[in-house]
Amino acid sequence: MSPSATTTNLLGLPRPTLEAFVAQLGSKPFRARQLMQWVYKRGEPSFERMTDLAKAFRARLSECASVQPPEIIATRHSADGTRKWLLRADGSQAFETVYIPEPDRATLCISSQVGCALDCAFCSTAQQGFNRNLTTAEIVGQVWLANRELAGTVGDLARERAVTNVVLMGMGEPLANFRNVVPALDILLDDFGFDLSRRRVTLSTSGLVPQIYKLAEHSNVALAVSLHAPDDGLRNELVPINRRHPIAELLEACWHYIDERNGRSVTFEYVLLDGVNDSRVQARALAKLLAGKPAKVNLIPFNPFPGTRFRCSPPPAVQQFRDELIRRGVLATVRRTRGEDIDAACGQLAGRVLDRTTVRLGSRTFGLAVQE
Ligand code: SAH
């Protein structure tokens, strides 16, 4: 029997839950903080090596608890330093995590679900449909694993910068997995957990309006919203959830979040699609929605994938769109594409590996077909 069947995985337990667990074993609550530091700050999975904990307590933990990150199925390294891990969900299902090093930071793009139910027209994850929500352990386990791999404790990888920023922009819609995502955010921010500042953790949503209000009650991480169109007609086509929660409602929720959480601004993601949403008129319409608001726009060059009907906007169109926004007082940046050679760029993550579509995607992505 695997240890997971018999022991409690401490990875993913928020501090109050871990304190209750520790108390059950007859220990003081502050032991939970010590444990968290070992697990998250030092990346230590073995209770035996947690030398400032009493021997008897360590022995008890070894019997009934474990630190179990997801299993790595494959690792890819991009020429630009980007790294991608394919992680096992269950059996044939997998999800992905992407590490993006930059001179002043190292960002980890993590997944919140296996697949996605939202069916955005230009996203490759949508093509594989929805499989299941990731658990809190699987969500924080991505950061835990990345740090451990980067520290060179496994294999002979050179030591690299630990994760400084986390973005929930991998596979899945994080607000559709609210129950598991919020405790994961708590652990990312906890002083005894990963201890990241709230400005270095960004949740990206396609616009689940009621859950944005709910998030404002439970967390204060940075918010990014996948807008992609300046009017409801087009957004209904590109981001179908818009039919339920149109742009005006979505923007209200965003401003509420900023007020409530004392945030600086919401980042609006806008994938530029050639001839679809990249005209000067559309840039003006977008500026009209956002000028004078706590907003900035992140323009994303479209990353094509097999079977898509969209094309990337040519660089002059991207430039024109950005200039038009700036001229109208809206902060706008263009996202540099990273990890393209390993299909790690936005919207290219496709983790499922066994059915017909994904054997194709999987072998293209990893140069190997993963079999059970
Ligand atoms: N479901 C969440 C988070 C995952 S998507 C959301 O929609 O925000 C993360 C970002 O990548 C989103 O802005 C998404 O719209 C963008 N994206 C998806 N497919 C893309 C593609 N093919 N090229 C470029 N960006 C893409």
Side-chain angles (χ1 to χ4, degrees):
M1 207 187 272
S2 76
S4 59
T6 53
T7 60
T8 301
N9 188 4
L10 301 191
L11 211 54
L13 298 189
R15 183 142 39 114
T17 317
L18 189 60
E19 283 173 351
F21 180 77
V22 162
Q24 240 182 21
L25 300 183
S27 236
K28 292 271 184 325
F30 77 88
R31 296 290 177 201
R33 301 201 286 268
Q34 263 176 305
L35 251 175
M36 284 186 81
Q37 280 179 315
W38 275 108
V39 172
Y40 297 109
K41 294 242 168 76
R42 304 201 206 178
E44 180 56 72
S46 157
F47 301 119
E48 269 319 301
R49 287 198 284 269
M50 300 182 181
T51 44
D52 57 358
L53 299 177
K55 248 200 153 119
F57 181 46
R58 280 188 268 159
R60 187 80 187 89
L61 283 169
S62 303
E63 279 165 26
C64 66
S66 57
V67 176
Q68 284 178 71
E71 179 200 338
I72 298 175
I73 302 175
T75 308
R76 288 290 308 267
H77 295 244
S78 159
D80 68 11
T82 302
R83 217 179 270 194
K84 180 165 85 161
W85 290 281
L86 182 70
L87 306 174
R88 188 180 307 281
D90 357 66
S92 63
Q93 300 292 335
F95 57 101
E96 295 183 330
T97 300
V98 180
Y99 171 78
I100 309 154
E102 283 171 281
D104 59 335
R105 67 172 98 175
T107 302
L108 195 70
C109 177
I110 63 173
S111 296
S112 56
Q113 299 181 312
V114 184
C116 189
L118 289 179
D119 210 22
C120 297
F122 50 85
C123 181
S124 75
T125 305
Q127 296 198 322
Q128 73 175 65
F130 174 70
N131 179 244
R132 73 161 169 88
N133 284 328
L134 292 179
T135 63
T136 305
E138 288 169 326
I139 298 168
V140 297
Q142 296 171 60
V143 186
W144 193 89
L145 264 182
N147 278 339
R148 205 175 130 82
E149 294 286 297
L150 295 162
T153 50
V154 177
D156 55 358
L157 301 172
R159 191 179 180 86
E160 281 202 63
R161 184 204 287 276
V163 172
T164 62
N165 294 55
V166 173
V167 295
L168 282 85
M169 295 184 187
M171 293 168 71
E173 166 51 52
L175 292 184
N177 183 13
F178 197 90
R179 195 162 50 96
N180 297 331
V181 163
V182 167
L185 297 175
D186 290 344
I187 293 168
L188 291 174
L189 268 53
D190 193 311
D191 296 351
F192 298 96
F194 290 105
D195 195 17
L196 297 173
S197 108
R198 67 183 181 110
R199 300 196 197 286
R200 290 174 174 272
V201 177
T202 302
L203 182 148
S204 177
T205 179
S206 55
L208 270 58
V209 167
Q211 281 86 342
I212 294 175
Y213 284 99
K214 215 166 125 195
L215 185 69
E217 292 170 22
H218 290 93
S219 190
N220 60 3
V221 296
L223 184 66
V225 169
S226 293
L227 196 58
H228 309 311
D231 61 87
D232 285 322
L234 180 58
R235 195 164 190 272
N236 286 345
E237 296 307 314
L238 297 179
V239 186
I241 191 75
N242 193 72
R243 295 175 203 157
R244 210 178 311 159
H245 305 297
I247 293 174
E249 246 181 61
L250 173 59
L251 294 181
E252 270 315 303
C254 290
W255 314 143
H256 169 84
Y257 187 84
I258 292 298
D259 281 351
E260 198 70 11
R261 304 317 314 196
N262 197 18
R264 282 187 195 152
S265 59
V266 173
T267 301
F268 291 93
E269 296 156 284
Y270 196 103
V271 173
L272 285 164
L273 306 167
D274 185 26
V276 174
N277 67 353
D278 63 349
S279 74
R280 196 187 286 269
V281 173
Q282 285 160 320
R284 268 184 224 143
L286 181 62
K288 213 165 160 195
L289 291 178
L290 303 181
K293 302 291 189 189
K296 52 187 179 198
V297 175
N298 195 203
L299 299 170
I300 311 173
F302 173 63
N303 295 310
F305 50 88
T308 182
R309 63 191 154 103
F310 297 109
R311 284 182 317 267
C312 182
S313 302
V318 175
Q319 199 59 37
Q320 171 188 281
F321 202 93
R322 175 177 164 270
D323 293 348
E324 194 67 41
L325 289 175
I326 290 174
R327 195 171 313 126
R328 285 158 196 274
V330 176
L331 256 156
T333 49
V334 179
R335 186 182 292 174
R336 204 154 56 89
T337 293
R338 300 284 303 265
E340 242 175 330
D341 54 340
I342 55 168
D343 287 349
C346 304
Q348 290 187 317
L349 303 182
R352 205 168 51 163
V353 281
L354 270 190
D355 76 12
R356 225 174 259 119
T357 358
T358 44
V359 167
R360 180 164 53 80
L361 278 171
S363 52
R364 198 171 83 86
T365 307
F366 289 97
L368 53 95
V370 181
Q371 298 288 337
E372 275 296 284

